[in-house]
Amino acid sequence: MTWIDPPLPHAAEGPLAGVRVGLKDNIDTAGVRTSCGSGFFAERVPDADAVVVTRLAGAGAEMVAKLTMSEFAVGLTTQNSASGPCHNPWDLSRVPGGSSGGPAAAVAAGLVDLALGTDTGGSVRLPAAACGVTGLRPGVGTVPSGGTFPVCELVDTVGPLARSVPLVARAFAVLAGRPVREPVPARPRRIGLPESWFDGLDDGVAEVVAAAGRVFAEAGTELVPVQVGGVGAAQDVLYTIVYLELLELHRDRLAEPRRFQPDTLARIHLGEGLTEGHRDEALAIRAEYQQELDELFTDIDVLLTPTLPVDVPRAAGGDDVLTLTRRLGQFTAPWSLHAGPTLALPVGRHPVSGMPVGAQLTAAVGGEDLLLDAGAWFQERTSWHTAVPPCSVG
């Protein structure tokens, strides 16, 4: 984490006036180092702000920090960074999720009011769940990515994290270049619960997410079991697209492999052996999957799923990095293959560890307002988003 003091220039007034913002360190800031968590970029100082930074500054937001991330936004634990590992403010022995671990941890700890992360396979939503905050993955292409270092431009998004939905909603409107709209709390009419896909789900997580579903059901929302065609293969399809593009992005840097964090290098090597034929096949499956989801959303308003399938892992876990990546991304990857938005909400505490548990609401393309209204409704009736971790300020 690097403090920006004084904050970047910003408008005196606006819908985000007085809001302290932290930026994931792959989002360019003019005159301020943007390292992407990598030794390759240790001295990189951009000449211009990313588009999202310009929009936030124009709305009065104060950019006060650059925040730790997994190297090149590759990884789901934020332990592979040239800046050193990032810790979870609820339990310093546990990971904050990744790759936007710094943004989520900083919001949870009260160091900033709002943070920007990026999400390719879950990198906003997983840290939001692990740290007990709210995070939005907007629909693909909804928020401009200019000046943000990519992982895979086909699926990358820039998204806001904050404690509560209303601030996330204001930030999203600014980032998307839309009129600011306060959420209108409203429960969805019908929530789809995907079936035949929860193999290995931690019992405690399942219990807490089911309780969140009952909050909606007891107010009259219909919970509908649904089959999502292709969801079981979605993670493999996503990783085929992502890892092939990731390899191409870093191919020249592979001439100096020792400069990478080992966990980053292991993931980049997953692109080896993949061909344009594999990519074309994956893109065709993705198109079919998106059509399936479009049809599904004609019958339901949102889908409800867990965010993390397990309790928040300890930093010194036993799984190798590739096994852990697949495990942690099991429930976020399918909605990265979707073109529409997903909102991550804190919904309870794990019955064994007491760590935060998160759930995701996913909507059709263009459904950000619907999600934010549903999230605001849920947070009016629960207080999980107001809890403060032991390691916090103010």
Side-chain angles (χ1 to χ4, degrees), residues 153-289:
E153 293 181 352
L154 279 173
V155 293
D156 286 353
T157 61
V158 179
L161 300 100
R163 284 193 184 280
S164 65
V165 167
L167 183 51
V168 166
R170 272 190 285 153
F172 166 69
V174 169
L175 294 169
R178 302 178 180 180
V180 172
R181 167 190 175 275
E182 291 297 325
V184 180
R187 61 175 177 80
R189 179 181 56 90
R190 286 164 62 86
I191 292 179
L193 305 178
E195 292 185 308
S196 307
W197 177 47
F198 282 17
D199 292 344
L201 179 62
D202 177 271
D203 289 342
V205 172
E207 175 186 323
V208 172
V209 174
R214 288 195 294 273
V215 173
F216 289 103
E218 288 168 1
T221 294
E222 185 179 1
L223 302 184
V224 185
V226 296
Q227 295 286 339
V228 182
V231 71
Q235 190 172 27
D236 286 330
V237 173
L238 177 72
Y239 287 173
T240 296
I241 297 168
V242 168
Y243 285 126
L244 185 57
E245 189 161 329
L246 187 69
L247 178 65
E248 290 306 311
L249 181 66
H250 294 288
R251 188 175 292 280
D252 290 346
R253 278 180 279 275
L254 287 173
E256 301 179 86
R258 293 179 184 275
R259 295 184 68 184
F260 284 104
Q261 298 291 307
D263 287 357
T264 311
L265 189 63
R267 289 178 175 89
I268 292 173
H269 280 312
L270 290 175
E272 296 172 343
L274 295 174
T275 66
E276 286 300 314
H278 291 119
R279 182 178 186 272
D280 291 344
E281 181 182 4
L283 290 175
I285 296 171
R286 175 186 182 228
E288 294 175 4
Y289 177 72

Side-chain angles (χ1 to χ4, degrees), residues 12-48:
E13 298 180 351
L16 297 177
V19 174
R20 302 166 303 148
V21 179
L23 303 167
K24 188 175 181 178
D25 201 26
N26 60 343
I27 299 173
D28 283 354
T29 39
V32 179
R33 187 180 70 140
T34 302
S35 75
C36 294
S38 178
F40 282 99
F41 286 179
E43 305 303 325
R44 180 174 176 267
V45 178
D47 306 347

Side-chain angles (χ1 to χ4, degrees), residues 289-381:
Y289 177 72
Q290 290 179 343
Q291 184 175 352
E292 289 261 2
L293 288 173
D294 289 345
E295 294 173 1
L296 182 61
F297 283 119
T298 64
D299 188 52
I300 60 169
D301 298 317
V302 299
L303 292 165
L304 171 66
T305 53
T307 310
L308 269 169
V310 295
D311 195 7
V312 181
R314 296 191 182 276
D319 285 339
D320 70 87
V321 62
L322 301 181
T323 299
L324 186 62
T325 295
R326 287 194 63 85
R327 185 76 173 113
L328 298 185
Q330 181 182 354
F331 292 119
T332 54
W335 317 129
S336 292
L337 214 57
H338 174 41
T342 298
L343 179 68
L345 297 168
V347 296
R349 295 284 174 267
H350 195 280
V352 176
S353 70
M355 292 296 291
V357 173
Q360 301 175 103
L361 294 175
T362 300
V365 174
E368 284 87 357
D369 287 347
L370 186 156
L371 288 183
L372 294 164
D373 290 350
W377 182 92
F378 181 83
Q379 289 187 344
E380 280 190 341
R381 285 155 180 79

